[in-house]
Amino acid sequence: MTASTRLIDGFHLVVEALKANDVATMYGIVGIPITDLARVAQASGIRYIGFRQEASAGNAAAAAGFLTGRPGVCLTTSGPGFLNGLPALANATANCFPMIQISGSSNRALVDLHRGDYQDIDQLDAARPFVKEAYRIGRVEDIGRGVARAIRTAVSGRPGGVYLDIPGEVLGQAMDASAGAETVWRVVDPAPRQLPAPEAVEHALRVLAQARRPLIVLGKGAAYAQADNVIREFVETTGIPFLPMSMAKGLLPDAHPQSAAAARSLAIARADVVLLVGARLNWLLGHGDSPQWSADAKFVQVDIAPSEFDSNQPIAAPLAGDIGSVMSALRDGVAAHPLTVPTEWTDELAERAARNDAKMRERLAEDPHPMRFYNALGAIRAVLEENPDVYVVNEGANALDLARNVIGMAVPRHRLDTGTWGVMGIGMGYAIGAAVETGRPVVAIEGDSAFGFSGMEIETICRYRLPVTVVILNNGGVYRGDESPSGTDPAPTVLSARAHHELIAEAFGGKGYHVTTPVELRSALSAAIGSRTPSIIDCELDPAAGVESGHLANLNPTSAAKPGKVSAGG
Ligand code: ADP
């Protein structure tokens, strides 16, 4: 090597590889051995957003993946930092969101002989069961390849989470700069279209044409696919009623005349042919089982992952391919297989929807003191109707179940929630990801318990001056806050009923509001969205409002020995 040879180290090569693939933002927490990676990234134009807990950084990256269709990138330190980030990567994988967790790791020679290194964990093996793929880069000259492989794997086929392990010693290695530049490449067409077989399309259209009570179920895969126009064209030309899963709300507006959302149970119970578009027949859809579904319902399923078919019910017409391509083929083919949707079916749904809608309006209009969930949500709904392009993040038990029904969405990919796992703790990470990626205002509708899982990220929201408003539906407990204890400590479900969460925002320079009526809530929320100032609105609810486990009470095993009934030795 001559004295004039320029060198490049692992830190710079990782950044070059990410930039070559248009990664514009990284979410993370610095520490050994990746602090310089964040510095180099920031210095070379990648935006670095630093968090207070890695799971939130990971959740922000996952939200970025869902919203943009490109992998969100999360950066973690070795050992515990890596472990903190892993649940978010696992959750992204469960939700089919593309995401990459890049983690520094400890010295391989020490870890593999269990010699006891700083924060030593075999991170690659630890990550493997929870992710779509896990890779380790062992040499500086493999950094470009490792990043390319991670990107390709995260977005192609069924999207998911990829773990990319980079030991500290690899980041510190150097190589000739021009040779290094040749090791980095840009992934061509990272998520190639996958066309369905023409005969599969023909068959699916024939099955649909036999339907007397057809139904389309749109899932978050359909939202993710960014095939909004073709999906709308197919729905509208066929006239088939549709039902959006929670994160597909807004793909077609909830106020669309073909929406069966307000008659959900009836639509599911009575449909005879169901077209699933980017929605799995998992627990969220009762596994397709009767009596929730009609026992002789036939399913047509559009999915990029063929192994999804028959996972719960026989799929009469599987359509393997990307949603854009499959829905285009269905739209083009429908002329040759005219579908008529009997008016008895649409009338039946419309009648039930009108009845349910009237009931909902009645509940929203009540004005009890203290306020309950519906009354608070009625106020939020009114403000969001005036601001349809605000992003909505939603988590909690009652706060989730009720907001999902009450808050209509008019624009695609504007709702992010607890998703496939129904997991708590995504709130602030998703809100930050949505605000950073889109620059638009975000409203996070949070149960007070759910908020606690990521609440310290309010500091992150304030530090980056993000236009995020957190509305805390505060009934002082997990599910509700009015349970009496059996002993001297608070009951297991009870939190601080009179907490003033708004003061947390004020502690970091944001704005706090404390409201006790729907009128106050409406005015605070309009002001907070309009100002684009980081804000918390603490809504004081009746601690007796809310039901245990929200809509999922049926998933709770009942205790054979309830407190008070415990037998000796039990
Ligand atoms: P929901 O919870 O809203 O019902 P799911 O997460 O269960 O939705 O289902 C999403 C499905 O969408 C997954 O099975 C996934 O493989 C599929 N999917 C994701 N992206 C695409 C795409 N571009 N084309 C086709 N299918 C997709």
Side-chain angles (χ1 to χ4, degrees):
M1 234 180 251
T2 66
S4 63
T5 303
R6 277 183 50 246
L7 296 177
I8 186 165
D9 62 22
F11 294 107
H12 286 83
L13 271 171
V14 173
V15 170
E16 289 308 310
L18 293 173
K19 285 178 68 177
N21 286 286
D22 300 329
V23 172
T25 309
M26 248 184 195
Y27 302 89
I29 298 190
V30 294
I32 295 169
I34 47 85
T35 308
D36 269 351
L37 184 53
R39 286 204 185 98
V40 172
Q42 190 177 58
S44 56
I46 291 182
R47 188 164 192 210
Y48 175 80
I49 307 288
F51 284 70
R52 306 304 297 265
Q53 215 274 3
E54 288 86 352
S56 291
N59 286 323
F66 170 69
L67 292 172
T68 67
R70 297 191 305 274
V73 175
C74 167
L75 184 63
T76 57
T77 66
S78 55
F82 151 77
L83 281 179
N84 278 345
L86 192 56
L89 190 66
N91 188 43
T93 307
N95 282 301
C96 311
F97 299 162
M99 171 182 164
I100 300 171
Q101 180 179 347
I102 299 179
S103 191
S105 58
S106 310
N107 185 304
R108 297 265 9 109
L110 298 174
V111 173
D112 289 347
L113 278 175
H114 290 214
R115 292 180 58 196
D117 195 15
Y118 170 72
Q119 302 189 337
D120 57 340
I121 294 177
D122 185 350
Q123 297 177 191
L124 189 68
D125 273 353
R128 225 168 232 139
F130 303 106
V131 300
K132 184 173 176 188
E133 258 301 356
Y135 305 114
R136 177 183 291 135
I137 297 173
R139 310 178 306 166
V140 68
E141 52 269 47
D142 281 339
I143 285 175
R145 177 176 288 112
V147 169
R149 207 144 163 52
I151 288 171
R152 170 70 74 190
T153 303
V155 288
S156 60
R158 170 181 277 177
V162 175
Y163 175 61
L164 188 58
D165 189 277
I166 316 185
E169 65 262 29
V170 175
L171 289 169
Q173 282 171 10
M175 66 184 292
D176 175 74
S178 52
E182 282 169 25
T183 63
V184 165
W185 72 82
R186 180 184 176 81
V187 176
V188 176
D189 193 9
R193 293 174 66 206
Q194 290 181 222
L195 305 184
E199 58 277 16
V201 175
E202 279 281 310
H203 175 56
L205 286 167
R206 269 198 297 271
V207 173
L208 277 169
Q210 292 161 8
R212 306 281 311 146
R213 294 181 302 282
L215 179 68
I216 298 173
V217 176
L218 301 170
K220 60 182 170 307
Y224 171 80
Q226 301 200 14
D228 311 342
N229 287 342
V230 65
I231 291 172
R232 175 190 275 267
E233 281 163 22
F234 181 79
V235 171
E236 290 182 346
T237 34
T238 60
I240 299 176
F242 72 90
L243 201 57
M245 299 301 286
S246 64
M247 283 182 63
K249 279 164 69 79
L251 189 46
L252 280 91
D254 279 326
H256 193 284
Q258 284 170 253
S259 170
R264 188 176 198 273
S265 314
L266 181 76
I268 285 178
R270 300 262 302 136
D272 64 351
V273 178
V274 182
L275 172 63
L276 298 161
V277 185
R280 287 170 281 186
L281 269 182
N282 56 18
W283 69 281
L284 286 160
L285 283 171
H287 301 110
D289 286 335
S290 72
Q292 203 170 331
W293 294 82
S294 156
D296 47 8
K298 282 199 172 117
F299 293 98
V300 178
Q301 186 164 27
V302 182
D303 207 291
I304 202 144
S307 61
E308 185 57 40
F309 307 134
D310 301 292
S311 55
N312 279 288
Q313 299 293 334
I315 298 301
L319 286 161
D322 71 276
I323 285 166
S325 301
V326 176
M327 295 310 289
S328 304
L330 287 176
R331 178 204 53 198
D332 297 346
V334 87
H337 298 267
L339 293 164
T340 40
V341 182
T343 49
E344 301 87 76
W345 175 227
T346 48
D347 288 350
E348 189 182 346
L349 292 172
E351 196 185 305
R352 175 69 68 89
R355 217 179 331 140
N356 288 346
D357 197 51
K359 257 192 261 169
M360 157 106 59
R361 281 177 194 282
E362 241 171 67
R363 300 189 80 166
L364 294 177
E366 289 165 3
D367 190 14
H369 301 278
M371 200 164 32
R372 298 174 74 87
F373 281 96
Y374 271 104
N375 326 112
L377 289 167
I380 298 171
R381 165 162 129 155
V383 176
L384 293 181
E385 272 171 3
E386 290 159 9
N387 296 277
D389 57 353
V390 162
Y391 283 80
V392 174
V393 172
N394 188 199
E395 64 175 333
N398 296 277
L400 175 83
D401 290 334
L402 302 179
R404 185 177 50 224
N405 292 343
V406 172
I407 310 289
M409 302 302 298
V411 189
R413 288 172 298 284
H414 273 53
R415 183 187 154 88
L416 297 109
D417 66 27
T418 55
T420 299
W421 274 352
V423 68
M424 297 300 125
I426 46 84
M428 298 305 100
Y430 277 12
I432 293 169
V436 167
E437 295 293 327
T438 69
R440 299 288 316 152
V442 178
V443 171
I445 304 170
E446 301 272 314
D448 55 323
S449 162
F451 171 72
F453 288 82
S454 64
M456 191 61 195
E457 302 302 341
I458 291 295
E459 191 277 329
T460 310
I461 291 168
C462 290
R463 186 163 19 106
Y464 290 94
R465 307 301 303 160
L466 298 173
V468 174
T469 304
V470 182
V471 182
I472 299 176
L473 299 177
N474 181 10
N475 66 349
V478 182
Y479 310 130
R480 49 197 267 165
D482 72 340
E483 189 177 326
S484 314
S486 314
T488 49
D489 284 336
T493 57
V494 163
L495 299 170
S496 304
R498 293 291 162 251
H500 279 247
H501 295 90
E502 74 280 7
L503 300 179
I504 308 176
E506 290 178 8
F508 300 113
K511 175 106 176 98
Y513 304 83
H514 186 83
V515 300
T516 58
T517 66
V519 172
E520 286 171 5
L521 172 52
R522 194 167 168 168
S523 124
L525 185 55
S526 292
I529 293 173
S531 71
R532 297 179 61 95
T533 303
S535 312
I536 293 183
I537 304 175
D538 185 286
C539 305
E540 196 177 305
L541 298 191
D542 185 347
V547 294
E548 180 145 337
S549 304
H551 286 182
L552 303 180
N554 61 320
L555 296 183
N556 265 334
T558 40
S559 168
K562 290 247 187 231
K565 287 196 209 157
V566 183
S567 57

